[in-house]
Amino acid sequence: MTAAERYRQLEISPSVQVARWIFNNRLNNAPKLPLREVVEDIKTGKTPSKNENKYYENGVLDWFKPSEIGEGKYLKSAKDKLSQLAVDTKQATIYQPGTLLVTAIGDIGRLAITTDVASSNQQITGIAFNKQVLPEYAYYYFLAFRAFFYTDVSQTTLPIVNQKKITSIPFILCSVKEQKATIDFLSAIELITLPEEVGQLNNLTNDSELLEVAKGIFATHFASAKLVSEFDNQELHLNQLRQALLREAMQGQLLPQDPTDEPAAVLLQKLQAEKAKLGKAGKRKQKELFAEETEAVEGPFEIPSTWSWCTLGEATSKIGSGSTPKSGYVGEGIPFFRSQNIYDAGLELSDVVYISKEVNQTMRGTQVLVNDVLLNITGGSLGRATLVTDLPNGGNVSQHVCIVRAELLASSFLHKLILSPYFQNLIFASTSGAGRQGLPKYNLEQFLVPVPPLAEQHRIVAKLEQLMQHCDALEQRIRESRRLAEQLLQTALREALAPPAGAEVSEEEAELELVEADAEPAAAPRRRGRPAKKAYQPGDHVEFGDLFSQPEA
């Protein structure tokens, strides 16, 4: 899970929901002022020239990037470091401990606090607060109201929030004593991860309304988690059902066999004879090709008597991948399919690239035909395969995509075979230890595949498609149930966070109400600054008013 994904989970956590309620209902009478009035310094990071190794070798200064913001409240050690030379020559922006770092380009508004002197790249802005604000308090505040960063942001290729916009955000400034109490309370409820731990809330405050709200939020959260787990299990079982159907189909157990079907062995003999006539039978002798009975190949599992085993190379007329054209891509022309275009359900053409007709002619060996199966043979999408059913403008493939052209098998059956657990296991077993080097053509050609009679192949595909449609309908019902459940839970959450009946909400308070930050990624500001304050270390509980006062023993 990425830092951005973890942060999104944090944003919908009970502690953040409770934080929103506290800011809206318990700290709402505190002064509200532009953030600039409590900022001691604000500045944006830098990226020293990547062409100069001297700025990166023998690194002494943590250099954070957006991918590291969101892993947790505090930043400890960065993956990359900058050298002392980068610091001495002012190629690095220096943040002091206790600086709140904010992603300001792309997925804007993710936060973390520095615990040591550090730096960042230009996609991050650091905010150092004056003595009126503890960085942890600001962290919880902006975690609760991330949507402020998205108000009127600059929309270029990526959202960008600059320093001027950040410092104009309205900020609730309560006393340092109240800030410490808020920090301690929210830090404590962050540790509640199980339903049976919710009772610990009784030890944190005497505020009956806050207790009721917090318990309601936690109840909603755990009910939601339970439903999500149930829906996840349903989808998992559905995927297992799909795999089981493919497994049974490739073992001849999905449908009864028809004794009138021409056995696959006869089909194999005819194909071998045809290849012999064309001079493609290799070193096989003619008498072997026309023998009444060919030697049976033993496969890894039992198949019906009318089926046969053969290698994928014997069952196909072509297996081969393409290459990347040296002349590059053009604006329009012949579609050039890369691994990101290959999906089990079909070609994804939203980001397809093109090569010229002239280049396509020089790559005749990897021109794609209708009914070809395209198989990804490298990288994270290894094993994904699509059946080409429509090709109005032709096509070609990169070195990461292999063309598998059926001859003994119906193309639609070959596609199902490649997607089956049996074939997928062969792929990954063949590439184990090879990293991203991919699936060698020779290995692919040697895979043993089960071959049903041709008529049965078509019946199997028809039955599989019928059953998969039922699975798709079930999946749609699960997703709809999930959507409805989430709506109900959100309604329950809004009710838990709603102000008491009859309470008036001022325009100023309404601005700080619960906001859903379904915004796009964001960007980073740029400027000077000089934070120099040690981060608050949660320790002794600090009481204030009736809000977080400890219950009497």
Side-chain angles (χ1 to χ4, degrees):
M1 187 182 294
T2 65
E5 290 168 338
R6 285 194 182 91
Y7 198 81
R8 285 188 175 84
Q9 285 191 345
L10 177 61
E11 284 184 290
I12 60 174
S13 67
S15 60
V16 175
Q17 305 292 350
V18 173
R20 288 191 182 109
W21 189 90
I22 290 173
F23 287 119
N24 281 326
N25 296 276
R26 286 295 180 268
L27 300 176
N28 56 325
N29 291 323
K32 301 176 184 70
L33 61 163
L35 187 67
R36 71 176 71 89
E37 296 190 23
V38 293
V39 170
E40 178 182 314
D41 196 9
I42 180 170
K43 51 190 174 184
T44 298
K46 298 177 182 177
T47 298
S49 173
K50 292 286 188 177
N51 296 325
E52 300 286 347
N53 290 334
K54 60 187 179 181
Y55 295 137
Y56 298 92
E57 54 193 14
N58 301 318
V60 296
L61 180 69
D62 285 317
W63 185 61
F64 291 102
K65 299 187 289 297
S67 60
E68 297 168 278
I69 306 296
E71 295 280 357
K73 185 189 307 181
Y74 296 104
L75 290 168
K76 295 180 181 177
S77 179
K79 295 176 183 175
D80 295 321
K81 315 278 185 184
L82 296 182
S83 67
Q84 187 62 47
L85 179 64
V87 176
D88 295 340
T89 57
K90 303 187 184 306
Q91 297 298 310
T93 298
I94 307 299
Y95 305 122
Q96 297 301 320
T99 300
L100 182 68
L101 299 192
V102 183
T103 56
I105 296 178
D107 189 27
I108 60 178
R110 296 205 313 270
L111 312 162
I113 301 169
T114 60
T115 56
D116 204 344
V117 176
S119 60
S120 75
N121 72 6
Q122 70 278 10
Q123 294 175 288
I124 295 172
T125 291
I127 306 171
F129 296 95
N130 61 28
K131 294 179 180 179
Q132 300 177 82
V133 178
L134 297 171
E136 289 81 2
Y137 174 80
Y139 170 84
Y140 283 117
Y141 179 80
F142 289 119
L143 183 58
F145 299 112
R146 185 183 183 186
F148 279 138
F149 291 106
Y150 284 91
T151 306
D152 302 323
V153 297
S154 170
Q155 290 284 353
T156 53
T157 306
L158 290 173
I160 299 175
V161 59
N162 59 32
Q163 293 178 15
K164 182 178 180 181
K165 172 60 191 171
I166 292 174
T167 56
S168 68
I169 291 175
F171 188 76
I172 293 179
L173 180 62
C174 58
S175 69
V176 171
K177 181 180 178 181
E178 290 173 317
Q179 291 180 38
K180 288 180 178 179
T182 303
I183 293 165
D184 282 345
F185 183 79
L186 294 175
S187 297
I189 67 174
E190 280 178 339
L191 302 177
I192 297 176
T193 58
L194 298 171
E196 54 267 29
E197 296 172 347
V198 174
Q200 296 174 13
L201 289 169
N202 296 321
N203 303 321
L204 300 177
T205 180
N206 277 328
D207 186 326
S208 58
E209 187 182 2
L210 174 58
L211 271 176
E212 182 181 354
V213 167
K215 288 179 179 179
I217 288 172
F218 273 100
T220 302
H221 168 75
F222 289 123
S224 174
K226 183 177 179 181
L227 279 175
V228 167
S229 176
E230 288 176 359
F231 289 132
D232 286 345
N233 284 333
Q234 289 176 5
E235 290 185 345
L236 174 63
H237 292 151
L238 192 56
N239 287 331
Q240 290 173 343
L241 174 59
R242 287 189 176 104
Q243 294 299 301
L245 292 172
L246 286 168
R247 185 182 301 108
E248 289 189 1
M250 298 309 139
Q251 293 177 357
Q253 298 174 2
L254 188 65
L255 291 171
Q257 279 66 51
D258 186 340
T260 64
D261 287 342
E262 181 181 71
V266 175
L267 183 62
L268 182 57
Q269 286 180 353
K270 289 179 179 178
L271 180 62
Q272 290 174 340
E274 186 63 30
K275 284 185 176 182
K277 289 179 183 177
L278 297 173
K280 295 181 180 179
K283 297 183 179 180
R284 295 177 183 268
K285 296 181 181 179
Q286 194 93 349
K287 63 180 182 181
E288 291 177 341
L289 295 173
F290 290 97
E292 291 185 6
E293 292 186 8
T294 57
E295 184 178 344
V297 177
E298 181 115 15
F301 52 80
E302 188 176 345
I303 55 176
S305 59
T306 54
W307 292 32
S308 293
W309 287 99
C310 72
T311 65
L312 187 64
E314 292 173 313
T316 56
S317 61
K318 177 178 182 60
I319 296 177
S321 58
S323 60
T324 299
K326 295 180 181 179
S327 56
Y329 306 130
V330 295
E332 58 181 27
I334 308 300
F336 187 73
F337 304 126
R338 300 169 294 168
S339 57
Q340 57 262 53
N341 304 123
I342 310 303
Y343 283 85
D344 296 346
L347 288 168
E348 169 52 59
L349 301 179
S350 60
D351 66 343
V352 72
V353 294
Y354 299 90
I355 57 175
S356 67
K357 292 180 180 179
E358 293 73 22
V359 170
N360 187 51
Q361 282 302 309
T362 67
M363 301 172 67
R364 286 190 294 270
T366 53
Q367 290 177 357
V368 180
L369 305 178
V370 172
N371 290 326
D372 280 349
V373 175
L374 304 183
L375 170 65
N376 284 354
I377 56 174
T378 65
S381 62
L382 176 71
R384 272 200 328 237
T386 192
L387 174 63
V388 179
T389 57
D390 186 32
L391 207 63
N393 299 311
N396 217 303
V397 294
S398 75
Q399 69 270 30
H400 305 292
V401 180
C402 181
I403 297 172
V404 186
R405 190 166 295 155
E407 189 168 34
L408 187 60
L409 301 168
S411 297
S412 54
F413 180 84
L414 174 61
H415 182 229
K416 304 293 187 191
L417 170 63
I418 289 175
L419 297 182
S420 71
Y422 165 68
F423 200 94
Q424 291 289 309
N425 288 339
L426 289 177
I427 289 175
F428 286 95
S430 180
T431 57
S432 62
R436 294 181 59 89
Q437 295 176 6
L439 176 63
K441 175 186 175 183
Y442 174 79
N443 292 17
L444 190 57
E445 290 174 332
Q446 300 306 309
F447 288 172
L448 277 179
V449 295
V451 182
L454 189 58
E456 188 174 351
Q457 293 179 33
H458 292 296
R459 291 197 300 272
I460 289 172
V461 169
K463 187 63 176 178
L464 277 174
E465 290 180 348
Q466 179 189 19
L467 293 171
M468 294 301 179
Q469 284 177 0
H470 289 312
C471 290
D472 292 342
L474 281 172
E475 183 175 35
Q476 186 59 38
R477 286 169 59 184
I478 293 171
R479 289 180 177 175
E480 179 64 13
S481 297
R482 184 194 290 264
R483 186 186 66 80
L484 291 173
E486 288 173 349
Q487 283 183 347
L488 289 172
L489 291 166
Q490 284 301 315
T491 300
L493 182 59
R494 279 194 295 273
E495 290 176 355
L497 292 168
E504 294 184 6
V505 181
S506 68
E507 289 183 14
E508 197 172 23
E509 290 169 18
E511 189 178 17
L512 294 173
E513 291 271 293
L514 172 63
V515 217
E516 290 299 329
D518 286 342
E520 305 162 82
R526 37 178 186 274
R527 251 183 197 102
R528 55 181 195 284
R530 178 194 204 148
K533 188 152 65 74
K534 184 177 180 181
Y536 165 69
Q537 301 299 323
D540 297 335
H541 187 89
V542 182
E543 303 177 359
F544 68 93
D546 292 328
L547 179 51
F548 304 117
S549 58
Q550 298 276 8
E552 294 181 8

